[in-house]
Amino acid sequence: NAGVTQTPKFRVLKTGQSMTLLCAQDMNHEYMYWYRQDPGMGLRLIHYSVGEGTTAKGEVPDGYNVSRLKKQNFLLGLESAAPSQTSVYFCASSYSGARRYSEQFFGPGTRLTVL
Amino acid sequence: EDQVTQSPEALRLQEGESSSLNCSYTVSGLRGLFWYRQDPGKGPEFLFTLYSAGEEKEKERLKATLTKKESFLHITAPKPEDSATYLCAVQGGATNKLIFGTGTLLAVQP
């Protein structure tokens, strides 16, 4: 099993450009998440999904959109990139949100720089 | 407001020198406390979940414990390969979201 994979691994954008980050998981997990990690800030939740076709806002959703058209994929879009979105982005998945099945498994990350 | 605070921010140990990392938390109705290890340039790797005060879990040189206000990650006789950032997260209330601390950067010198 590959677990959670993310593409691309690195990307440099100019302000105002758009892009989509792809996350895929092969563990048949229902829940998927997008986080950003910044120095001194810890991991912060951007958006999440509790199942195919559903999405919800996390702690820092502004400037991002997501889609979950297939159970195994979760896409994160930036419509008009800003320098404040320079960060490392992690995707994660979990079997459920129930008490004993909610540990999240993370992908390797995408390092995004917005100039 | 749910909150997680980890200390120290950084810790340097000699190989074989045991120590503990702290994770203090405030959450309305703890559903789970999670420990992760993160190596430079990689995603967090799941280590443990603790659900109730008094619970303990072990894996190799690591042992995690939980009280009503904090969790400790004890590292016994660490080796250089234990060097990493250790993250703590809590899940509380009726949410499936995790609230992460900022981590402890552990360096083990040979």
Side-chain angles (χ1 to χ4, degrees):
Chain A
N1 287 352
V4 179
T5 58
Q6 293 182 233
T7 52
K9 288 184 168 48
F10 303 94
R11 186 72 186 268
V12 178
L13 291 179
K14 294 181 179 179
T15 298
Q17 288 185 319
S18 63
M19 77 163 294
T20 299
L21 282 68
L22 172 64
C23 175
Q25 53 94 4
D26 62 0
M27 297 176 282
N28 200 34
H29 284 172
E30 288 292 334
Y31 288 54
M32 296 187 74
Y33 314 81
W34 275 107
Y35 292 89
R36 60 178 289 172
Q37 187 175 42
D38 302 290
M41 299 289 291
L43 284 156
R44 292 182 292 168
L45 183 65
I46 304 171
H47 286 281
Y48 65 100
S49 168
V50 301
E52 182 179 320
T54 72
T55 63
K57 294 181 180 179
E59 182 186 355
V60 288
D62 294 342
Y64 305 95
N65 57 76
V66 288
S67 64
R68 183 101 180 266
L69 298 180
K70 293 183 178 180
K71 184 177 181 179
Q72 64 268 33
N73 296 336
F74 196 28
L75 278 63
L76 178 71
L78 286 72
E79 291 185 346
S80 180
S84 60
Q85 294 178 304
T86 293
S87 187
V88 181
Y89 291 85
F90 289 101
C91 177
S93 69
S94 64
Y95 181 69
S96 78
R99 189 166 184 255
R100 290 192 179 270
Y101 299 101
S102 56
E103 58 266 26
Q104 296 180 18
F105 296 90
F106 285 79
T110 294
R111 185 173 296 275
L112 174 66
T113 302
V114 183
L115 302 175
Chain B
E1 180 183 346
D2 298 345
Q3 194 168 2
V4 176
T5 303
Q6 291 188 247
S7 62
E9 289 186 9
L11 180 63
R12 181 172 295 181
L13 300 174
Q14 292 296 124
E15 184 172 1
E17 179 187 2
S18 301
S19 188
S20 297
L21 312 183
N22 178 263
C23 171
S24 62
Y25 64 91
T26 55
V27 65
S28 53
L30 180 70
R31 297 176 67 202
L33 185 141
F34 304 80
W35 281 99
Y36 287 84
R37 169 191 171 127
Q38 186 173 23
D39 292 301
K42 297 191 176 181
E45 175 188 347
F46 172 72
L47 292 173
F48 304 109
T49 310
L50 301 168
Y51 297 104
S52 305
E55 189 174 0
E56 299 182 351
K57 287 191 177 175
E58 288 187 65
K59 180 180 180 180
E60 297 181 357
R61 295 176 294 281
L62 301 177
K63 179 180 176 180
T65 62
L66 181 64
T67 73
K68 289 185 177 180
K69 294 184 179 180
E70 57 192 349
S71 176
F72 292 94
L73 185 65
H74 307 277
I75 303 177
T76 302
K79 297 182 178 181
E81 53 262 42
D82 294 322
S83 298
T85 296
Y86 290 86
L87 303 174
C88 172
V90 296
Q91 182 183 41
T95 179
N96 54 289
K97 304 173 191 175
L98 294 186
I99 305 298
F100 280 86
T102 53
T104 293
L105 175 61
L106 174 66
V108 181
Q109 296 181 315

